[in-house]
Amino acid sequence: MSRENFEKDDFRKYVLVTGASRGIGRSTALLFAENGYHVFLNCCRSAGKIEEVKKEIDSAGRGSCEIIMGDVGNPRDVNNIFEKIGRTCGRLHVLVNNAGISHIGLLSDMSDSQWDAVLRTNLSSVFYCCRAAIPGMVAKKQGRIINVSSMWGVSGASCEAAYSASKAGVCGLTRALAKELAPSNIQVNAIACGVIDTDMNSQLNKEERDALAYEIPMGRFGSPDEIATVIWDMANAPEYMTGQIIGVDGGYL
């Protein structure tokens, strides 16, 4: 679809979901497509998995999508991603910053490159994508930015110092940017996820999973679909809701 057609087709909405090849990103992309959005599917390396997501959306026939590969922790890649988005539609209605990685281990054992990778993927990516999306949203005085954070960004987690620091940064950036963009009628919120049953937790063995689930008042991990539903609700929340960090953690905190 050309940009000119987009201007005539104001009822159609566009969302970029980063880290859309699996887990929360996949569920979020499928839900937005199910509700008629055109979804820009982004991931960095999992080309085969993101093709599967595209096939699911195409076969359902309710929304539409296109794949835009790129590392959102790299500003040059983000510029290329948004150039492609601009050629399709001019601006986004919703930006979901979901891409993220974890690192488990003692801080004293962490290398410079490991620290940089976590901060770049989890926090810098949010800055780069927000910076690229904001001008188009401001021009229309409309837009939603939803950042996927973690309960560890609120409370911190032992042996996950870099991950906790990066997610705390996402929470701080969310609150600050919400104030900055409120006069332009752009809402910025974040979701502080608890323990979600995604590939990020796949390294846990059964004993570790059972022990962790025991600590959660609900007695189980959350599902990616549950988080996607909250993201959808945040994208459709009243305009007065902005600058909020919504915890979805089964009562853990």
Side-chain angles (χ1 to χ4, degrees):
M1 177 180 288
S2 70
R3 185 165 179 170
E4 290 76 12
N5 286 337
F6 167 79
E7 297 295 342
K8 297 175 183 178
D9 194 15
D10 287 338
F11 67 86
R12 189 156 202 196
K13 292 189 175 182
Y14 295 79
V15 58
L16 168 64
V17 181
T18 69
S21 64
R22 65 188 76 194
I24 293 169
R26 173 186 173 276
S27 292
T28 300
L30 293 174
L31 182 56
F32 274 82
E34 182 182 332
N35 284 276
Y37 271 73
H38 180 85
V39 184
F40 295 103
L41 302 168
N42 163 261
C43 74
C44 183
R45 289 177 289 273
S46 303
K49 287 188 175 295
I50 208 161
E51 285 285 355
E52 292 175 5
V53 178
K54 185 178 187 305
K55 288 178 182 178
E56 285 188 67
I57 292 173
D58 289 343
S59 63
R62 299 189 66 178
S64 56
C65 67
E66 61 187 279
I67 295 171
I68 307 181
M69 300 292 291
D71 178 4
V72 287
N74 182 322
R76 286 173 295 183
D77 280 13
V78 172
N79 288 341
N80 291 335
I81 289 166
F82 276 83
E83 283 179 7
K84 292 176 182 177
I85 290 172
R87 289 196 293 269
T88 299
C89 65
R91 72 175 180 101
L92 294 173
H93 293 84
V94 182
L95 167 63
V96 180
N97 287 306
N98 167 72
I101 59 173
S102 66
H103 178 89
I104 299 176
L106 296 173
L107 180 68
S108 56
D109 293 335
M110 195 171 193
S111 69
D112 292 349
S113 61
Q114 289 170 330
W115 171 268
D116 288 341
V118 172
L119 270 291
R120 179 172 52 81
T121 303
N122 294 0
L123 179 56
S124 295
S125 64
V126 178
F127 162 64
Y128 297 140
C129 289
C130 286
R131 183 176 63 179
I134 285 169
M137 292 182 175
V138 169
K140 292 288 186 178
K141 301 290 184 182
Q142 186 182 50
R144 302 289 174 110
I145 297 173
I146 301 165
N147 301 321
V148 177
S149 186
S150 167
M151 64 180 183
W152 301 136
V154 177
S155 69
S158 176
C159 294
E160 292 190 64
Y163 181 79
S164 299
S166 68
K167 292 302 187 178
V170 170
C171 291
L173 177 58
T174 297
R175 291 191 174 103
L177 191 57
K179 294 176 179 178
E180 187 173 316
L181 295 178
S184 297
N185 193 38
I186 298 165
Q187 292 75 46
V188 188
N189 294 290
I191 179 169
C193 299
V195 184
I196 310 303
D197 198 5
T198 65
D199 287 354
M200 191 175 287
N201 292 309
S202 62
Q203 76 276 8
L204 300 174
N205 61 39
K206 185 179 185 305
E207 288 184 358
E208 291 170 330
R209 288 176 63 90
D210 290 346
L212 186 53
Y214 181 78
E215 296 179 18
I216 302 168
M218 286 201 70
R220 65 173 178 86
F221 290 9
S223 74
D225 287 349
E226 287 175 310
I227 301 302
T229 298
V230 177
I231 292 172
W232 171 258
D233 290 344
M234 294 170 81
N236 292 279
E239 292 178 349
Y240 205 60
M241 179 180 149
T242 192
Q244 302 306 299
I245 313 298
I246 306 299
V248 184
D249 57 22
Y252 194 103
L253 293 186

